[in-house]
Amino acid sequence: MNSNNDESLLDAYMKTVVVLDTKDHYLYLGKLAKLDLHFVCLQDADVHDLNISRTPKDLYLIDAKKYGINASRKEVLVIREQIMSISKLEDILEF
């Protein structure tokens, strides 16, 4: 997520609840609020440490989709270079 054209790709995600998968063991859920060259800003966000969670990632996301996000922060900045993927929470498939 380093190119200057990323913003046009992310326009459809703005103001929606997204899931950010990162290079490390953190998963971020929240409303995509702002972008710049270095950071992605989420509002009403949950920062979830997958290393200490007893719930598998897939089940955690399905629960978040069904019941809503358990926000632990009003706003969080995520370093763009740490992001591996972004998806809308509504696009999470239930199995």
Side-chain angles (χ1 to χ4, degrees):
M1 296 186 67
N2 293 328
S3 106
N4 291 336
N5 295 326
D6 288 342
E7 282 72 18
S8 61
L9 291 173
L10 293 173
D11 282 346
Y13 294 81
M14 294 301 294
K15 306 298 182 198
T16 65
V17 176
V18 297
V19 177
L20 301 180
D21 288 291
T22 62
K23 293 178 183 177
D24 57 18
H25 55 273
Y26 289 100
L27 184 67
Y28 296 84
L29 290 82
K31 183 170 49 170
L32 183 58
K34 299 178 240 176
L35 305 165
D36 70 15
L37 290 176
H38 304 287
F39 296 98
V40 170
C41 177
L42 300 180
Q43 293 176 335
D44 301 320
D46 178 22
V47 179
H48 188 73
D49 186 343
L50 296 169
N51 280 345
I52 62 172
S53 177
R54 294 183 196 151
T55 306
K57 177 179 162 182
D58 293 335
L59 292 178
Y60 180 79
L61 292 173
I62 289 168
D63 283 348
K65 180 180 177 181
K66 283 183 184 177
Y67 307 113
I69 294 175
N70 225 356
S72 58
R73 290 161 174 78
K74 289 182 97 173
E75 189 170 272
V76 64
L77 296 176
V78 182
I79 299 169
R80 287 178 77 147
E81 289 181 1
Q82 293 298 313
I83 299 170
M84 296 298 293
S85 69
I86 182 171
S87 59
K88 293 179 181 179
L89 183 60
E90 67 187 36
D91 291 342
I92 299 297
L93 300 175
E94 299 178 35
F95 49 90

